[in-house]
Amino acid sequence: FSIAESMPLEKFNFRMFCFDTNIYETSLETRKLSGFGGTHFHILENHVQEEIRDNPEVKRHPDAIFVVTDGMGTDIVCEKPEKWHWILTPHGDTSNLQDAANIHDLAKYE
C-alpha cells in the first residue's frame, strides 16, 4: 500500500487487486488483503483482457500494470509485456516473466 500511496494518484485512473488463484479488488481505503493461496500469474493477463472486452469504462489496455510479488508462480504471457512492472521481493524469481517486462527491486521502494 505504501508503494501506491507514493504515486501521484490524482494523475491516474488507479485500481488495486490482490490475487492467488482468483483476483480480488481492494483499495487504499479498505487496505484489505485477500488470497494467500497459490500464485497464478496467468489470471492477471486474463483479467486485463476481460476488462478491456467487458467493462465499458475500460476502453484500452492500461498504460502500466504493477505487480508486487516474490515471482514464484505460474508462467504469464502478456499481450503487452513492456507495460508490466514486476516489483520483486529479495531473491525474487523472474523465470516465469517475459523478457520484455520491467523488473524492479522492492527494496528500492521501501
Side-chain angles (χ1 to χ4, degrees):
F1 292 106
S2 61
I3 293 170
E5 289 172 328
S6 71
M7 301 177 81
L9 299 178
E10 68 281 356
K11 296 184 179 192
F12 298 100
N13 180 7
F14 185 83
R15 294 173 66 195
M16 296 179 73
F17 300 88
C18 297
F19 70 99
D20 53 13
T21 59
N22 292 295
I23 294 177
Y24 316 90
E25 192 154 9
T26 189
S27 69
L28 287 173
E29 293 75 30
T30 67
R31 300 180 93 77
K32 182 179 180 188
L33 296 175
S34 300
F36 310 107
T39 305
H40 290 202
F41 292 139
H42 66 279
I43 65 173
L44 299 174
E45 175 66 13
N46 293 349
H47 185 76
V48 168
Q49 295 304 322
E50 287 171 9
E51 285 282 305
I52 293 168
R53 184 187 69 230
D54 300 337
N55 186 340
E57 294 180 15
V58 178
K59 297 177 177 45
R60 60 184 172 81
H61 194 283
D63 292 330
I65 299 167
F66 294 87
V67 181
V68 179
T69 181
D70 62 5
M72 302 298 290
T74 61
D75 288 344
I76 181 169
V77 177
C78 305
E79 176 186 14
K80 298 184 179 195
E82 69 281 2
K83 294 191 176 207
W84 289 72
H85 297 266
W86 298 86
I87 302 172
L88 296 179
T89 57
H91 312 293
D93 182 9
T94 61
S95 63
N96 295 310
L97 310 179
Q98 289 173 277
D99 291 338
N102 301 282
I103 309 297
H104 307 280
D105 180 0
L106 176 62
K108 293 180 180 179
Y109 296 92
E110 294 183 312

